[in-house]
Amino acid sequence: MLHLLLLLLLHSPLTTSSHCSTSTTLKTYQKCMSLPSQDATLAWTYYPHNSTLDLSFTSSFLSPSGWVAWGLNPTSPQMSGTRSLIAFSDPSSGSLILLPFILSPSTKLQLSPLLSTPLDIPLLSSSALLRHDSASIRAGAVVEIHATLKLVPNRTRINHVWNRGLYVQGYSPTIHPLTSSDLASRATIDVVSTAATLSPELPSWAKPLHGVLNALSWGFLLPAGVVIARYVRQFESAGPTWFYAHAAVQATGYILGITGFAIGIAMGNSSPGVTYSLHRGLGVAVVVAGGLQSLALFFRPSATHRFRKYWKSYHHFVGYGCVVLGVVNVFQGMEIMGLGRSYGKLGKAKEEKMRRESGGNGFQHVRKGSF
C-alpha cells in the first residue's frame, strides 16, 4: 500500500505556459495566444474576404523519439474526431516530418495503431520545422507546425486540440501522457475577437489525491473493516469493541471514498470526451453499495427479532460485494494511471534478477559436482 501511495503522489503533473509571439521562423502573424499547457502557443492571421486561416502552432518535444500534434475538431473541443497534423522524426531518414491523422474513438481506446490518413477538411498547405536553436529533435526541441485552412464562411470559432507524446512506433504515434494538463489541452477560440473558451482544468494535485483517497478507502480501510467484523469478533475478550472498531473503520473509509469519488466526478467534468466507462461504472456501483450499507444501520433489527437473519444476509452480501468491486476498481484506476504497467515491469525485473541469480548458482553447483 505504501508503494502504491508513493507512486500515486509521484504522478502529480506540472502545468506551464509560454509567452506567445506573432513572429515565427517563416512569417509574422497578426495575432497570437499562449495556450494553457505544454509550453504551447498559437499565432494566426485570418483573411475574412476568403475565410482563410493562416496559423503557426509552437510546442516542444518530450524526447528524441517523441511527437507533437495540433489539430481541428469540426464539432467539439475533444480528441475523438480531431483532424490532426503530427510532427516527429522520420524513422528512415531521421529528419522532421509532418503527417495527417484522423483521431477516431478507437484511437483513445488504443484498439489499433494510429495510421496516417488524408484529412477531410480544406487544408490548403502544411509544414513543420525546428526552431533555429534546435538543430535536431531532442527533449525540449521547439517545433513549429504551420498550416493554412479554409474555414466555413462567417464561422470564425474553431475547436483546436494539441498534445505531445514520448514515442513513435514506426510511423504510428503512441499514447500521450495522461496528466490533467495533457487531458485538458484543447480550447475553442474566435480567430477574429481572440475570445477563448478553455477546457476547465483542476489543480495538479487532484488526480494523485483521487488515487490516494480511493486506494486508502476502497483498497485498504473497507477490507480492513470486513476483517475486523469477520475475525476479531471471534475473540470473547474483544467484547463489543470489535463492533465499534468495525463501524469506525468503515465510516472513515466510506467518507474518504466519497471524497475521492467526488474528485473523480470533477475530473470527468473537466475532461469532456475523455471517458473511462468501466472505472466510472464501478465507482458508482461501490458508492451506491456503500450508501446502502450505511442506511442499513438505521434499520438494523434487534438481535432477537425474526427479521435479524435476513438483515444479516443482506448486510454480508452487499458488504462483500462492495469490497470486491472497490478493490477491482482500485486496480482499474492503477491501469488508467499507468501504475499497473509500472508494477508489471518491476515484477518482471525482479523475476529476471532472481532467474539470473538462480541460474548462476545452479551452474556453479553443477560445475562443482561434475569435477
Side-chain angles (χ1 to χ4, degrees):
M1 178 59 67
L2 178 60
H3 291 300
L4 172 60
L5 298 181
L6 288 175
L7 280 172
L8 289 168
L9 290 173
L10 288 174
H11 272 66
S12 176
L14 297 175
T15 302
T16 57
S17 59
S18 296
H19 294 293
C20 75
S21 173
T22 55
S23 298
T24 66
T25 303
L26 292 183
K27 63 178 71 175
T28 299
Y29 296 87
Q30 293 179 353
K31 299 177 180 180
C32 72
M33 174 180 293
S34 296
L35 302 180
S37 63
Q38 303 180 348
D39 292 322
T41 64
L42 186 69
W44 72 91
T45 299
Y46 177 66
Y47 301 97
H49 65 279
N50 59 3
S51 302
T52 300
L53 179 65
D54 199 10
L55 64 86
S56 175
F57 169 79
T58 302
S59 187
S60 58
F61 284 97
L62 291 175
S63 69
S65 58
W67 54 267
V68 174
W70 178 88
L72 288 181
N73 191 311
T75 57
S76 60
Q78 63 177 0
M79 187 188 80
S80 296
T82 295
R83 278 61 174 167
S84 63
L85 298 170
I86 303 183
F88 54 89
S89 176
D90 189 328
S92 301
S93 64
S95 60
L96 180 68
I97 60 172
L98 183 70
L99 295 180
F101 294 85
I102 297 179
L103 308 183
S104 64
S106 63
T107 302
K108 180 179 66 177
L109 299 175
Q110 304 178 62
L111 298 178
S112 59
L114 179 60
L115 303 178
S116 179
T117 306
L119 302 184
D120 55 359
I121 59 175
L123 177 66
L124 305 181
S125 65
S126 62
S127 62
L129 55 90
L130 294 172
R131 283 276 179 86
H132 56 81
D133 54 350
S134 303
S136 60
I137 299 178
R138 54 177 172 76
V142 179
V143 61
E144 296 177 359
I145 296 177
H146 295 265
T148 302
L149 306 105
K150 185 85 169 178
L151 301 184
V152 177
N154 301 320
R155 290 185 60 181
T156 59
R157 289 174 60 86
I158 61 171
N159 305 306
H160 74 121
V161 179
W162 64 96
N163 226 309
R164 56 186 179 177
L166 288 166
Y167 303 106
V168 176
Q169 294 180 346
Y171 290 89
S172 178
T174 60
I175 189 172
H176 57 74
L178 298 176
T179 67
S180 59
S181 60
D182 292 303
L183 296 177
S185 56
R186 56 190 182 276
T188 299
I189 63 172
D190 191 306
V191 296
V192 174
S193 66
T194 70
T197 303
L198 302 176
S199 298
E201 184 177 346
L202 293 177
S204 59
W205 46 259
K207 185 175 180 179
L209 182 60
H210 167 74
V212 168
L213 288 177
N214 285 300
L216 186 60
S217 59
W218 308 112
F220 178 72
L221 288 176
L222 292 177
V226 171
V227 170
I228 292 173
R230 177 68 177 84
Y231 295 103
V232 177
R233 68 182 300 180
Q234 306 298 329
F235 298 96
E236 294 184 2
S237 58
T241 304
W242 73 266
F243 175 77
Y244 298 115
H246 167 71
V249 171
Q250 296 295 79
T252 302
Y254 188 64
I255 291 172
L256 293 179
I258 284 290
T259 306
F261 177 76
I263 295 175
I265 293 296
M267 291 169 58
N269 292 337
S270 68
S271 304
V274 181
T275 303
Y276 300 103
S277 300
L278 178 59
H279 188 55
R280 180 180 59 186
L282 289 174
V284 171
V286 295
V287 167
V288 171
L292 291 174
Q293 284 290 80
S294 302
L295 290 175
L297 294 176
F298 297 101
F299 302 98
R300 185 176 62 152
S302 63
T304 58
H305 197 282
R306 62 192 181 96
F307 288 128
R308 178 62 178 240
K309 62 179 180 179
Y310 301 111
W311 183 91
K312 288 180 65 176
S313 297
Y314 160 83
H315 189 62
H316 291 166
F317 176 77
V318 176
Y320 286 128
C322 180
V323 168
V324 170
L325 291 178
V327 171
V328 169
N329 207 28
V330 167
F331 283 97
Q332 177 68 18
M334 290 171 57
E335 286 295 323
I336 292 173
M337 295 182 71
L339 298 180
R341 291 186 289 273
S342 299
Y343 272 116
K345 291 179 181 179
L346 181 61
K348 288 182 180 179
K350 288 183 177 180
E351 290 180 4
E352 184 63 28
K353 181 179 179 181
M354 294 177 62
R355 189 180 297 111
R356 289 198 301 268
E357 290 177 352
S358 63
N361 293 336
F363 174 75
Q364 293 174 3
H365 176 73
V366 172
R367 185 175 181 178
K368 290 178 181 178
S370 300
F371 290 91

